[in-house]
Amino acid sequence: MEISITSLDKVPSESTVILRFLEALNDHELRYYAQDWMKSIGYDNLDELNNAISPLIDAMNSVHMSTSENIKPVYRCSNGNIYRDWKLSRLGLTYLALNSPHKTKKISQLQLRIFQ
């Protein structure tokens, strides 16, 4: 069976294989774990990082951009502990870096490199 791109919004909900495929395509762009980048983009702790997620989602919603294509909550395991993290697209990671609460020289240089 072949489905054209223009008719994907009409895929029946019973087509779980197709829906999983579409989700995998979407997740392909979500390459960065927020906690892995937290310190290098200027967030000192998880509270600061998690507080920055809501404005990111609000900004995307305000311009009618799909949040699911740029940010997704995930659960990771490390040393037997499960914790919540965020998978981000390049755009999501860039937004967090540009809105970093700590403007150090290193962060300012990173922000300038993003604009180049």
Side-chain angles (χ1 to χ4, degrees), residues 1 3 7-28 68 72:
M1 180 172 91
I3 298 175
S7 66
L8 287 177
D9 59 330
K10 299 175 186 168
V11 174
S13 61
E14 299 85 31
S15 303
T16 57
V17 173
I18 294 172
L19 292 175
R20 286 184 187 157
F21 175 73
L22 293 173
E23 185 176 323
L25 281 176
N26 183 46
D27 287 355
H28 176 71
S68 66
K72 178 180 182 180

Side-chain angles (χ1 to χ4, degrees), residues 69-85:
E69 292 177 13
N70 293 288
I71 184 168
K72 178 180 182 180
V74 294
Y75 292 90
R76 298 173 69 188
C77 182
S78 177
N79 299 325
N81 296 318
I82 297 174
Y83 63 96
R84 185 178 179 165
D85 201 351

Side-chain angles (χ1 to χ4, degrees), residues 76-116:
R76 298 173 69 188
C77 182
S78 177
N79 299 325
N81 296 318
I82 297 174
Y83 63 96
R84 185 178 179 165
D85 201 351
W86 301 91
K87 280 199 84 172
L88 303 168
S89 67
R90 181 177 170 92
L91 176 66
L93 183 63
T94 301
Y95 180 92
L96 290 180
L98 290 174
N99 291 295
S100 171
H102 303 286
K103 302 294 183 189
T104 64
K105 183 177 180 180
K106 182 179 175 183
I107 296 301
S108 296
Q109 289 171 344
L110 173 67
Q111 291 171 334
L112 287 174
R113 274 190 270 144
I114 289 170
F115 285 120
Q116 292 179 337

